[in-house]
Amino acid sequence: VAGPVLPETVDGVAPKEMMRQYWLKQALRATEACDSTRAALATRDQVTAYQARVRQAFVEALGGFPERTPLNAQTVGTILRDGYRVEKILFESQPQHAVSALLYLPEKAALPAPGVLVPCGHSAGGKDCDTYQWACIQLVKSGIVALVYDPIDQGERMQLLDAKGKPLVSNTAAHSRVGVGCILLGRNTATLRIWDGMRALDYLCSRKEVDASRIGCIGNSGGGTLTSYLMTLDPRIRAAAPSCYITDFRHVIEKIGPQDAEQNVFGQLAFGMDHAEYLTLRAPAPTLVCSAAQDFFAIGGARATVEKAKRVYGLMGADDRLSQCVADEKHGFTAPLRAGAVGWMKRWLLHDD
């Protein structure tokens, strides 16, 4: 007679939850190990050695990066606005791999001005999302050059099309599909996304209107993920403000589980990199964590992570260079978080507090 193979629960867990609970326990042990290793840091030299080790492990997990090739950048259009102009840009992050972007240039500002990169979150329209446009407008109205660019499979960069030229898949689903091929190459969707961002920084720094010694990066949601990656790996980013992403992996795994491919870097917890490392690897560079109190990226994890990293900033004599902006909002680059991020750029790039 056919019947259940397993009882209703095994060690108090329903059979369909057994694998999830197993991996959750593994992940929690790894996050505790991360916290323990970080908490043992006691001197500036120890912090510096720790930063170098974890950063190298991060790059190795990503499979390294391609060589820099000519950007072949071109301006394909210009939009005039009140007090600024917007240039429509195309550049190649890799040969024949075009990136579409918008460059916001102030008409009345001391040049060369600071430049801020704005990686997009997971909006289907990419850089045309209103909140990212508003962030760029706030930056350019403050006298800062802003560059916002489309991620792969968003905005103008759809890759898999049907016979009529319509996208078959886009956004996070497409990123995860790209991730399948990346796995076979020992890489990650994040590798491609980070390289696009680094080459966008190359373009931004190449503009005569930009002071390459005063570079910032702000981004929300998936753009907060990219801001976290880029600020950890690219030393040109002097000031950074990731929004609606930083929390900790314990809360991510318990509350929302795995995300799309670019947010799952192989072995990340095993080599000691929780969300706090995105901040501690930055120390002593100025970093603002923008958080929404009602976000699915748990505010409890965000607060705890900032406190953990704050101790490391203290060891580097830079307590004032790590801060947090919290808005009583749901997930999104809402007005209070945009104001916080832009204000942070003005503080550290324009010396306007």
Side-chain angles (χ1 to χ4, degrees):
V1 178
V5 175
L6 296 172
E8 289 187 8
T9 61
V10 178
D11 296 329
V13 179
K16 67 179 181 180
E17 287 291 311
M18 288 173 63
M19 185 59 73
R20 180 179 180 277
Q21 289 300 316
Y22 171 77
W23 286 117
L24 181 58
K25 288 178 182 178
Q26 301 291 315
L28 295 185
R29 277 198 289 268
T31 61
E32 289 168 2
C34 290
D35 287 344
S36 178
T37 301
R38 192 185 319 105
L41 300 173
T43 67
R44 178 186 288 264
D45 288 345
Q46 288 177 351
V47 171
T48 301
Y50 173 77
Q51 290 173 324
R53 176 184 67 79
V54 177
R55 187 177 290 110
Q56 181 59 35
F58 188 24
V59 173
E60 290 175 359
L62 292 168
F65 297 110
E67 64 174 325
R68 277 183 162 82
T69 51
L71 289 169
N72 296 326
Q74 53 183 311
T75 301
V76 297
T78 302
I79 305 168
L80 299 179
R81 289 288 182 261
D82 181 19
Y84 65 95
R85 72 181 190 275
V86 184
E87 293 187 3
K88 301 178 181 182
I89 306 297
L90 290 175
F91 66 87
E92 296 180 6
S93 60
Q94 297 185 63
Q96 299 184 49
H97 186 61
V99 180
S100 46
L102 295 174
L103 183 71
Y104 290 69
L105 293 159
E107 294 293 352
K108 296 179 181 179
L111 297 176
V116 171
L117 185 68
V118 184
C120 286
H122 292 131
S123 59
K127 64 186 181 310
D128 82 347
C129 179
D130 52 4
T131 58
Y132 306 138
Q133 291 190 54
W134 289 335
C136 290
I137 292 167
Q138 286 176 264
L139 286 164
V140 77
K141 289 279 193 176
S142 300
I144 297 172
V145 178
L147 179 68
V148 59
Y149 65 98
D150 285 326
I152 54 172
D153 295 304
Q154 295 173 239
E156 297 182 86
R157 297 184 70 197
M158 300 303 179
Q159 300 186 104
L160 187 61
L161 308 177
D162 64 18
K164 296 182 179 179
K166 300 295 184 181
L168 288 171
V169 64
S170 65
N171 218 330
T172 54
H175 296 176
S176 293
R177 183 172 293 199
V178 169
V180 174
C182 288
I183 290 170
L184 301 176
L185 298 174
R187 292 187 175 182
N188 189 281
T189 305
T191 314
L192 307 175
R193 294 287 315 279
I194 292 167
W195 190 242
D196 279 352
M198 288 181 169
R199 298 314 312 274
L201 283 170
D202 288 346
Y203 175 76
L204 184 62
C205 291
S206 75
R207 294 287 302 224
K208 68 179 186 301
E209 300 93 343
V210 173
D211 179 353
S213 68
R214 292 185 289 163
I215 296 296
C217 186
I218 66 175
N220 181 75
S221 189
T225 306
L226 261 293
T227 300
S228 299
Y229 291 164
L230 289 167
M231 73 185 192
T232 299
L233 294 170
D234 199 314
R236 293 175 293 182
I237 297 175
R238 184 182 172 208
S243 175
C244 287
Y245 174 66
I246 293 291
T247 177
D248 59 33
F249 275 120
R250 180 187 188 107
H251 283 84
V252 169
I253 293 166
E254 287 180 336
K255 189 169 184 179
I256 59 179
Q259 300 164 76
D260 65 294
E262 75 216 43
Q263 295 174 316
N264 300 316
V265 176
F266 305 125
Q268 184 167 349
L269 286 173
F271 64 74
M273 192 169 184
D274 203 339
H275 278 211
E277 273 57 53
Y278 295 129
L279 306 179
T280 58
L281 267 61
R282 283 276 296 165
T287 308
L288 177 73
V289 175
C290 296
S291 304
Q294 302 176 49
D295 204 343
F296 46 81
F297 286 110
I299 186 62
R303 292 188 189 280
T305 288
V306 170
E307 288 306 309
K308 292 170 186 175
K310 195 87 168 177
R311 192 188 73 85
V312 177
Y313 267 75
L315 294 174
M316 303 293 279
D319 300 73
D320 64 327
R321 296 190 174 195
L322 176 63
S323 191
Q324 186 173 22
C325 171
V326 179
D328 188 16
E329 302 274 0
K330 294 181 180 179
H331 185 82
F333 213 8
T334 54
L337 298 185
R338 292 197 307 274
V342 173
W344 191 253
M345 297 299 111
K346 292 173 67 176
R347 176 180 179 182
W348 293 103
L349 302 180
L350 287 174
H351 307 292
D352 176 3
D353 206 2

Coordinates of all heavy atoms in Angstrom, one line a residue, residues 17-49:
E17 N 11.4 21.2 4.4 CA 12.3 22.2 4.9 C 13.6 21.7 5.3 O 14.5 22.5 5.8 CB 11.6 22.9 6.1 CG 10.4 23.8 5.8 CD 10.9 25.0 5.0 OE1 11.8 25.7 5.5 OE2 10.3 25.3 4.0
M18 N 13.9 20.4 5.2 CA 15.1 19.9 5.7 C 16.4 20.4 5.1 O 17.3 20.8 5.8 CB 15.1 18.3 5.5 CG 14.1 17.6 6.5 SD 14.0 15.9 6.1 CE 15.7 15.3 6.4
M19 N 16.4 20.5 3.8 CA 17.6 21.1 3.1 C 17.8 22.5 3.4 O 18.9 23.0 3.7 CB 17.4 20.9 1.6 CG 18.7 21.3 0.8 SD 20.1 20.4 1.2 CE 19.8 18.8 0.5
R20 N 16.7 23.3 3.4 CA 16.8 24.7 3.8 C 17.4 24.9 5.2 O 18.3 25.7 5.4 CB 15.5 25.4 3.6 CG 15.5 26.9 4.0 CD 14.2 27.6 3.8 NE 14.2 29.0 4.1 CZ 14.2 29.5 5.4 NH1 14.0 28.7 6.4 NH2 14.3 30.8 5.6
Q21 N 16.9 24.1 6.1 CA 17.4 24.2 7.5 C 18.8 23.8 7.6 O 19.6 24.4 8.4 CB 16.5 23.4 8.4 CG 15.1 24.0 8.6 CD 15.2 25.4 9.3 OE1 15.9 25.6 10.2 NE2 14.3 26.3 8.7
Y22 N 19.2 22.8 6.8 CA 20.6 22.3 6.8 C 21.5 23.4 6.4 O 22.5 23.8 7.0 CB 20.7 21.1 5.9 CG 22.2 20.7 5.7 CD1 22.9 20.0 6.7 CD2 22.8 21.0 4.5 CE1 24.2 19.7 6.5 CE2 24.2 20.7 4.3 CZ 24.8 20.0 5.3 OH 26.2 19.6 5.1
W23 N 21.2 24.1 5.2 CA 22.0 25.1 4.7 C 22.0 26.4 5.6 O 23.0 27.1 5.7 CB 21.6 25.5 3.3 CG 22.1 24.4 2.3 CD1 21.3 23.6 1.5 CD2 23.4 24.0 2.0 NE1 22.0 22.8 0.7 CE2 23.3 23.0 1.0 CE3 24.6 24.4 2.5 CZ2 24.5 22.3 0.5 CZ3 25.8 23.8 2.0 CH2 25.7 22.8 1.0
L24 N 20.9 26.6 6.2 CA 20.8 27.8 7.1 C 21.7 27.6 8.3 O 22.4 28.6 8.7 CB 19.3 27.9 7.6 CG 19.1 29.1 8.6 CD1 19.4 30.4 7.9 CD2 17.6 29.1 9.0
K25 N 21.8 26.4 8.8 CA 22.7 26.2 9.9 C 24.2 26.4 9.5 O 25.0 26.9 10.2 CB 22.5 24.8 10.5 CG 21.3 24.6 11.3 CD 21.1 23.1 11.7 CE 19.8 22.9 12.5 NZ 19.6 21.5 12.9
Q26 N 24.5 25.9 8.3 CA 25.9 26.1 7.7 C 26.2 27.6 7.6 O 27.3 28.0 8.0 CB 26.0 25.4 6.4 CG 25.7 23.9 6.3 CD 26.8 23.1 7.1 OE1 27.9 23.4 6.9 NE2 26.3 22.2 7.9
A27 N 25.2 28.3 7.0 CA 25.4 29.7 6.8 C 25.6 30.5 8.1 O 26.4 31.4 8.3 CB 24.3 30.3 6.0
L28 N 24.8 30.1 9.1 CA 24.9 30.8 10.4 C 26.2 30.6 11.1 O 26.8 31.5 11.7 CB 23.7 30.4 11.3 CG 22.3 30.9 10.8 CD1 21.2 30.5 11.8 CD2 22.3 32.3 10.5
R29 N 26.7 29.4 11.0 CA 28.0 29.1 11.5 C 29.1 29.9 10.8 O 30.0 30.4 11.5 CB 28.4 27.6 11.4 CG 27.8 26.7 12.5 CD 28.5 25.4 12.6 NE 28.2 24.5 11.4 CZ 27.2 23.7 11.4 NH1 26.4 23.5 12.5 NH2 26.9 22.9 10.4
A30 N 28.9 30.1 9.5 CA 29.9 30.9 8.8 C 29.8 32.4 9.2 O 30.8 33.0 9.3 CB 29.7 30.7 7.3
T31 N 28.6 32.9 9.4 CA 28.5 34.3 9.7 C 29.1 34.5 11.1 O 29.7 35.6 11.4 CB 27.0 34.8 9.7 OG1 26.2 34.0 10.7 CG2 26.4 34.7 8.3
E32 N 28.9 33.6 12.0 CA 29.5 33.7 13.4 C 31.0 33.7 13.3 O 31.7 34.4 14.0 CB 29.0 32.5 14.2 CG 27.5 32.7 14.6 CD 27.0 31.4 15.3 OE1 27.7 30.4 15.4 OE2 25.8 31.4 15.6
A33 N 31.6 32.9 12.4 CA 33.0 32.9 12.2 C 33.5 34.2 11.6 O 34.6 34.7 12.0 CB 33.4 31.7 11.2
C34 N 32.7 34.8 10.7 CA 33.1 36.1 10.2 C 33.2 37.1 11.3 O 34.1 37.9 11.4 CB 32.1 36.6 9.1 SG 32.1 35.7 7.6
D35 N 32.1 37.1 12.1 CA 32.1 38.1 13.2 C 33.2 37.9 14.2 O 33.8 38.8 14.7 CB 30.7 37.9 14.0 CG 29.6 38.5 13.2 OD1 29.8 39.2 12.3 OD2 28.4 38.1 13.6
S36 N 33.6 36.6 14.5 CA 34.7 36.3 15.4 C 36.0 36.8 14.9 O 36.8 37.4 15.6 CB 34.7 34.8 15.7 OG 35.8 34.5 16.5
T37 N 36.3 36.5 13.6 CA 37.5 37.0 13.0 C 37.6 38.5 13.0 O 38.7 39.0 13.3 CB 37.6 36.4 11.5 OG1 37.5 35.0 11.6 CG2 38.9 36.9 10.9
R38 N 36.6 39.2 12.6 CA 36.6 40.6 12.6 C 36.7 41.2 13.9 O 37.5 42.2 14.1 CB 35.3 41.1 11.9 CG 35.3 42.6 11.5 CD 33.9 43.0 11.0 NE 33.3 42.1 10.2 CZ 32.2 41.3 10.6 NH1 31.7 41.4 11.8 NH2 31.7 40.5 9.7
A39 N 36.1 40.6 14.9 CA 36.1 41.1 16.3 C 37.5 41.0 16.9 O 37.9 41.7 17.8 CB 35.1 40.4 17.2
A40 N 38.3 40.1 16.4 CA 39.7 39.9 16.9 C 40.7 40.9 16.4 O 41.8 41.0 16.9 CB 40.2 38.5 16.5
L41 N 40.3 41.7 15.4 CA 41.2 42.8 14.9 C 41.4 43.8 16.0 O 40.4 44.3 16.6 CB 40.6 43.4 13.7 CG 40.3 42.5 12.5 CD1 39.6 43.3 11.4 CD2 41.6 41.9 11.9
A42 N 42.7 44.1 16.2 CA 43.0 45.0 17.4 C 43.9 46.2 17.0 O 44.0 47.1 17.8 CB 43.6 44.2 18.5
T43 N 44.5 46.2 15.8 CA 45.4 47.2 15.4 C 45.2 47.6 14.0 O 44.6 46.9 13.2 CB 46.9 46.8 15.6 OG1 47.2 45.7 14.6 CG2 47.2 46.2 17.0
R44 N 45.7 48.8 13.6 CA 45.6 49.2 12.2 C 46.3 48.3 11.3 O 45.8 48.0 10.2 CB 46.3 50.6 12.1 CG 46.3 51.2 10.7 CD 47.1 52.5 10.7 NE 46.3 53.6 11.4 CZ 45.6 54.4 10.8 NH1 45.4 54.4 9.5 NH2 45.0 55.4 11.5
D45 N 47.5 47.7 11.7 CA 48.2 46.8 10.8 C 47.4 45.5 10.6 O 47.3 45.0 9.5 CB 49.6 46.4 11.4 CG 50.6 47.6 11.3 OD1 50.3 48.5 10.5 OD2 51.6 47.6 12.0
Q46 N 46.7 45.1 11.6 CA 45.9 43.9 11.5 C 44.7 44.1 10.5 O 44.3 43.3 9.7 CB 45.4 43.4 12.8 CG 46.4 42.8 13.7 CD 45.9 42.4 15.1 OE1 44.8 42.8 15.5 NE2 46.7 41.7 15.9
V47 N 44.1 45.3 10.6 CA 43.0 45.7 9.7 C 43.5 45.7 8.3 O 42.8 45.2 7.4 CB 42.4 47.0 10.1 CG1 41.4 47.5 9.1 CG2 41.7 46.9 11.5
T48 N 44.7 46.3 8.1 CA 45.2 46.4 6.7 C 45.5 45.1 6.1 O 45.1 44.8 4.9 CB 46.5 47.3 6.7 OG1 46.2 48.6 7.2 CG2 47.0 47.4 5.3
A49 N 46.0 44.2 6.9 CA 46.3 42.8 6.4 C 45.0 42.1 6.1 O 44.9 41.3 5.1 CB 47.2 42.0 7.4

